[in-house]
Amino acid sequence: LVAANKGFHEHQTTLFDVGTWVNLGSLIEMMPAEELEHEFGQLGDLKKLKSFQLTGSIHFGQGEVTGDMAMYYDEKLLGDWGGGGLGSELLDAVPEGTMMAISQSMDMEVVKKWFDDRPGIKKDIEEGLQEGIDMSLDEALGAFGGDLVLALTDLDMVPTPWGGSMPQPAILFGATIKDKKKVEKMLAEPMRELERDEDAPVRLVMRDNAFFLCSPEDERDLEKNGAVDDPIAGEKRSLLASNDTGFFLDYKEMERVISKVGGDDEEVEIVLDALDGLGLATLTWNAEAGAQKIQARIKMPKEDENSLKQIIDSAFSAAINVNKRMRRGRGWDGPDQQDW
């Protein structure tokens, strides 16, 4: 099987502690023909689904936990839709202190071909587009460049009309564009709504090569320069720039935000204890003709110690800390110590 099957061979040559390989094509063949047609008929030639395979694995290494997942299928079912990563027009709009971000980079010609090969799905979508904005699917897809980013840049406590306060996220959404007039047509109603609401937590910025939904604090810089004062850099920037899909969660920035909005709350302290020392959590998703491959990684506090041991130690430590806080809350710190 290793010699005859590419997916199984790649799975077996990946370093892992826990792994799985599933030939979904064999399971699909067990489905009755009528049910198969009903569930997947619009995807095209159903024979191509029989090549579908799924692999997954987890490895507890020194200082990090890594995971791999891959999907293999007939390359005629879906070509290489990946765009290769974000350019500076979007990366320079993401602030360095961003807590979490996800990017998507697509080849829009491959996306359009996928819809062309599935006229039933395309027709359903086009009916909605024609009714809503009087535009065909090809026109709508052709208006965009194929790259986008969504980031959680901050979190603030804001007063509410009924008293008290509540957390309000500061977000950034950006997308590359090819036809500014068509994009403005699609966004006409949201633009009017934002213009009417001066207190809206987001602003819309339209440039020649991209548009952004951003916080009021970033609006001026993006309008004037197309970039924020201190854009993302280092490993986080490379992650979004070099992959079809990139995701990161920065635990250090998360600690900063949680501390700011949570104050001295005891439950917040428990969360911060659990996050203490963690680094970046990352995920990448890359496509090729006939396959999609996903890799995830979590950096642990100690680089020279096995990650599974650190997870177990952290879980016991968190349980002990919670127990101690509960005892203090009840005014009891355990039985008196006796002198022997």
Side-chain angles (χ1 to χ4, degrees):
L1 185 59
V2 170
N5 188 295
K6 175 186 175 183
F8 189 75
H9 177 267
E10 291 188 359
H11 171 61
Q12 289 297 303
T13 53
T14 300
L15 180 63
F16 62 81
D17 297 306
V18 180
T20 184
W21 173 81
V22 181
N23 185 354
L24 292 176
S26 297
L27 298 177
I28 290 172
E29 287 181 336
M30 298 178 187
M31 293 179 64
E34 297 79 9
E35 185 176 343
L36 188 63
E37 178 67 31
H38 176 73
E39 296 293 335
F40 303 104
Q42 286 193 325
L43 293 176
D45 187 355
L46 297 180
K47 293 180 180 179
K48 297 186 178 73
L49 290 176
K50 296 178 181 179
S51 63
F52 203 95
Q53 300 169 38
L54 182 68
T55 69
S57 63
I58 299 175
H59 175 57
F60 298 99
Q62 294 295 103
E64 64 179 20
V65 182
T66 57
D68 291 89
M69 180 177 173
M71 293 174 282
Y72 300 90
Y73 43 81
D74 191 316
E75 64 182 53
K76 295 178 181 178
L77 186 66
L78 180 61
D80 183 358
W81 52 262
L86 303 188
S88 59
E89 67 269 30
L90 294 184
L91 293 170
D92 288 344
V94 182
E96 173 61 22
T98 293
M99 180 173 67
M100 179 175 64
I102 184 169
S103 64
Q104 181 71 70
S105 181
M106 297 176 287
D107 184 333
M108 298 306 288
E109 292 303 316
V110 176
V111 174
K112 284 196 283 187
K113 184 180 184 304
W114 189 89
F115 281 110
D116 289 340
D117 293 341
R118 292 153 184 86
I121 296 176
K122 184 175 182 178
K123 180 183 177 183
D124 291 342
I125 295 175
E126 284 201 320
E127 287 176 356
L129 288 173
Q130 291 288 355
E131 182 179 345
I133 56 176
D134 190 28
M135 192 177 293
S136 70
L137 180 59
D138 285 345
E139 287 178 303
L141 293 175
F144 294 96
D147 292 353
L148 58 88
V149 63
L150 175 64
L152 177 59
T153 61
D154 210 342
L155 195 65
D156 290 304
M157 298 300 292
V158 297
T160 62
W162 50 87
S165 60
M166 65 181 295
Q168 178 175 283
I171 67 165
L172 169 85
F173 175 81
T176 53
I177 59 178
K178 287 185 177 180
D179 192 320
K180 185 177 180 180
K181 290 184 177 179
K182 288 180 181 177
V183 173
E184 287 177 333
K185 180 180 178 180
M186 284 185 270
L187 298 178
E189 184 58 33
M191 291 174 70
R192 283 192 291 268
E193 289 291 333
L194 290 173
E195 287 173 359
R196 285 195 290 263
D197 187 359
E198 295 181 356
D199 297 324
V202 295
R203 298 286 190 270
L204 196 151
V205 175
M206 184 70 67
R207 295 181 61 83
D208 290 337
N209 60 354
F211 81 89
F212 303 97
L213 290 170
C214 64
S215 66
E217 291 77 14
D218 292 331
E219 180 185 16
R220 185 174 180 181
D221 286 335
L222 290 176
E223 279 186 336
K224 184 178 179 181
N225 306 315
V228 294
D229 280 340
D230 185 19
I232 195 172
E235 182 180 358
K236 293 187 286 188
R237 186 182 182 100
S238 297
L239 181 83
L240 304 184
S242 305
N243 296 281
D244 298 333
T245 299
F247 168 84
F248 71 78
L249 176 61
D250 191 329
Y251 287 107
K252 291 181 180 179
E253 294 297 336
M254 181 185 287
E255 284 186 75
R256 174 185 64 81
V257 169
I258 292 175
S259 297
K260 181 174 66 172
V261 301
D264 298 327
D265 188 87
E266 192 166 349
E267 284 75 15
V268 171
E269 291 182 12
I270 295 174
V271 174
L272 293 176
D273 285 345
L275 296 176
D276 187 40
L278 288 173
L280 275 180
T282 64
L283 183 144
T284 62
W285 187 320
N286 290 290
E288 58 188 60
Q292 298 184 49
K293 299 177 181 178
I294 305 166
Q295 293 182 317
R297 181 181 66 176
I298 300 175
K299 288 186 177 180
M300 303 300 293
K302 300 175 183 177
E303 295 182 0
D304 59 348
E305 187 174 285
N306 181 266
S307 55
L308 183 57
K309 180 181 183 300
Q310 293 186 62
I311 292 171
I312 294 172
D313 289 346
S314 295
F316 275 106
S317 177
I320 292 170
N321 288 335
V322 169
N323 185 265
K324 286 180 178 179
R325 287 190 171 94
M326 291 176 65
R327 289 183 174 187
R328 286 200 299 268
R330 294 194 296 264
W332 182 68
D333 289 322
D336 294 334
Q337 296 295 319
Q338 297 182 6
D339 295 326
W340 297 93

